Amino acid sequence: MQRITCKFGGSSLADAACIRAAMDIVKKNPARRFIVPSAPGKRSANDKKITDLLYAWHNMARQGLDAAEPRKIIEERFNGLAHDLGVSFDVRSRLAEINERAAQDETPDYMASRGEYLNGRLIAEALDAVFIDPASCIRFKASGALDPETYTLLGAALAGDGLYVVPGFYGAMPDGSVRTFSRGGSDITGAIVARASKSDLYENWTDVSGFRMTDPRLVPEAKRIEEVTYRELRELSYMGATVLHDEAIFPVREPGIPIHILNTKAPESPGTRIVAQRQAATPVCGIAGRAGFTMFNIEKTLMNKEHGFGRKVLSVFEEHGVSWEHMPTGIDTISIIVRDDELRGKGDAIVEAIRRQLDADEISVTNGLAIIATVGQGMNHHIGVAARLTGAMAEADINLRVIDQGSSEMNIIIGVEENDLASAVRAIYEAFDDWE
Ligand code: ASP
């Protein structure tokens, strides 16, 4: 019998009607046996997410402020859910326990995890499923990395024939204290549960019908991607695709468990499948663009003859604790592209250090750069991808500041001015959307 892990995001569990719809999805297929819920999300655009309220509660309590307001909203929401779903679960006493911890705990992790915990309890009772607390089987090492022991512990906990609910977003440190993943981390829990339960499929239920070829805010008619490989998605998600947490593919990639992105509001729509190998080898499967990069351009005559020059440049970034994204080079030039949120105002100090340590002829800094990744595993069998892309830029009258094709031949990265981001993404989309 097939086994399926289903993760439901916060927007798919925002109120009792949504939770019932999610439960109907679970009941429709007996293979759906491992359920991973997020905390309830927003019911409308100006509503509050439970997780945000829990962080606010912890923050206020730590500062000695009265957190009655977030606490009240949380209590009302969970009480409402328990009532509407007809479960007996006692929200009030659980919240009293949380309240005691609020001012004591230095980190917000325990508090933040309670949204998933409480929602998991409610849903387990409503589904008559076994509740598994991730604090007892999802383990982090002291470094914060996932302890592989998790798969053994969780695998044993999920070994029966029944239906299980494992709340998303958290696990425990070696000393037993609760630790959360980064925001949106229930996607990672879903992948861990899929692997530990030896599921054949990881269904990730959200509020959109899969991935689009590019950001629909820039190209509203962007087509849905039917299938994308783990590697392609990695290239796209790292550029800021928001549907799935970018670390969620690691647990399932090795055993090759496909992820299926599906929409709770349109459960019949085919969604997007994330797989090891895809059938259709369309050269380009997605285009991800993002503003907010800075480029350091370093020039030194005969740089190419000087052993260790590149290493020394990169070590300046390392010393300043700044990760870099791309490094296009010329014979006497080297450019380092960095995300602004990574740079955090350290630009001047970096320039100064390069000047001092490398005796460069010239250093200039270009701000306001946008980077666009055009990604597709089929690219390496196709001649003319770069020509088509640069042709589209020329036709749209956009100046290319940087161009870089990864040696994997599955992505072409370009840099343009931020003002050109939207028109560049549109032009690339139009150049590739129906190219077979
Ligand atoms: N509730 C958590 C968050 O808001 C985790 C998740 O939803 O995946 O980030």
Side-chain angles (χ1 to χ4, degrees):
M1 165 88 158
Q2 219 205 2
R3 293 156 173 253
I4 301 176
T5 294
C6 298
K7 180 259 170 179
F8 291 93
S11 56
S12 303
L13 303 171
D15 59 22
C18 294
I19 295 183
R20 265 196 224 98
M23 289 182 4
D24 285 345
I25 290 170
V26 171
K27 288 179 197 152
K28 218 167 163 190
N29 183 348
R32 295 186 173 126
R33 290 188 33 223
F34 309 99
I35 315 305
V36 178
S38 281
K42 292 184 181 188
R43 290 160 295 186
S44 60
N46 46 20
D47 195 17
K48 304 274 181 290
K49 277 183 78 159
I50 292 290
T51 310
D52 292 338
L53 291 165
L54 287 161
Y55 279 115
W57 181 355
H58 177 259
N59 193 1
M60 291 168 88
R62 289 295 292 170
Q63 296 185 60
L65 298 170
D66 180 6
E69 203 175 345
R71 185 185 165 172
K72 187 165 152 265
I73 308 174
I74 294 170
E75 185 164 346
E76 278 171 9
R77 276 193 71 186
F78 277 114
N79 269 331
L81 289 176
H83 176 265
D84 292 350
L85 295 170
V87 300
S88 60
F89 179 66
D90 179 9
V91 175
R92 182 169 271 268
S93 67
R94 303 283 176 167
L95 287 178
E97 280 167 30
I98 299 171
N99 198 33
E100 294 210 341
R101 294 281 296 267
Q104 285 168 23
D105 282 9
E106 256 172 61
T107 70
D109 293 49
Y110 171 80
M111 295 282 288
S113 72
R114 296 302 90 181
E116 270 69 12
Y117 173 82
L118 292 173
N119 214 23
R121 283 275 183 202
L122 286 178
I123 293 171
E125 192 179 332
L127 276 174
D128 200 13
V130 180
F131 176 85
I132 303 286
D133 190 343
S136 62
C137 26
I138 295 186
R139 292 273 165 85
F140 294 100
K141 296 187 196 165
S143 65
L146 186 78
D147 186 339
E149 176 76 7
T150 294
Y151 296 116
T152 317
L153 292 168
L154 194 55
L158 301 174
D161 299 328
L163 180 63
Y164 294 91
V165 172
V166 188
F169 195 36
Y170 71 98
M173 292 299 278
D175 66 1
S177 61
V178 163
R179 157 120 186 191
T180 59
F181 292 102
S182 57
R183 295 299 305 265
S186 299
D187 286 339
I188 308 175
T189 310
I192 293 171
V193 168
R195 178 166 171 167
S197 63
K198 300 199 168 43
S199 285
D200 304 285
L201 178 65
Y202 169 19
E203 290 180 345
N204 187 290
W205 290 88
T206 174
D207 58 354
V208 291
S209 295
F211 297 117
R212 308 269 219 105
M213 240 181 107
T214 193
D215 187 342
R217 284 168 303 188
L218 302 180
V219 182
E221 76 281 13
K223 282 186 192 161
R224 182 178 59 83
I225 303 179
E226 259 167 59
E227 257 187 352
V228 58
T229 66
Y230 301 124
R231 288 184 70 197
E232 287 168 331
L233 185 66
R234 190 73 197 115
E235 298 287 343
L236 291 167
S237 62
Y238 133 94
M239 293 294 299
T242 48
V243 178
L244 184 76
H245 194 294
D246 63 2
E247 287 167 35
I249 55 174
F250 298 121
V252 290
R253 192 163 71 170
E254 207 188 291
I257 302 166
I259 307 177
H260 198 174
I261 308 288
L262 289 156
N263 187 353
T264 34
K265 311 260 162 19
E268 303 306 325
S269 119
T272 297
R273 289 174 66 86
I274 308 162
V275 293
Q277 221 93 49
R278 71 187 162 97
Q279 306 296 322
T282 41
V284 169
C285 78
I287 302 142
R290 174 186 180 124
F293 290 86
T294 293
M295 179 162 67
F296 296 81
N297 310 299
I298 303 146
E299 275 189 51
K300 186 171 185 188
T301 309
L302 294 177
M303 166 192 297
N304 61 330
K305 293 266 184 308
E306 194 176 319
H307 291 298
F309 191 86
R311 177 182 53 74
K312 285 182 212 149
V313 170
L314 294 182
S315 65
V316 170
F317 286 86
E318 186 181 349
E319 280 156 22
H320 286 80
V322 170
S323 300
W324 54 277
E325 302 287 323
H326 302 288
M327 184 173 60
T329 57
I331 189 114
D332 286 334
T333 62
I334 198 168
S335 300
I336 308 289
I337 300 176
V338 179
R339 273 162 73 148
D340 293 346
D341 51 14
E342 180 66 30
L343 202 53
R344 294 177 313 247
K346 295 177 188 163
D348 289 346
I350 289 176
V351 169
E352 192 37 48
I354 294 175
R355 210 184 295 283
R356 228 178 325 108
Q357 295 177 26
L358 286 126
D359 195 23
D361 298 339
E362 179 99 31
I363 308 169
S364 63
V365 176
T366 311
N367 300 109
L369 202 64
I371 298 286
I372 304 167
T374 301
V375 177
Q377 225 154 21
M379 257 184 206
N380 56 355
H381 307 302
H382 265 77
I383 294 172
V385 180
R388 201 169 250 259
L389 193 152
T390 48
M393 291 299 97
E395 225 167 272
D397 203 20
I398 294 168
N399 184 24
L400 272 181
R401 304 293 305 256
V402 180
I403 174 158
D404 185 4
Q405 173 173 295
S407 57
S408 60
E409 270 193 79
M410 61 173 284
N411 61 357
I412 298 177
I413 308 280
I414 61 162
V416 299
E417 270 165 33
E418 280 179 349
N419 292 341
D420 289 329
L421 173 63
S423 34
V425 167
R426 167 161 282 288
I428 300 173
Y429 176 79
E430 282 166 3
F432 290 108
D433 71 331
D434 54 3
W435 202 42
E436 295 292 310

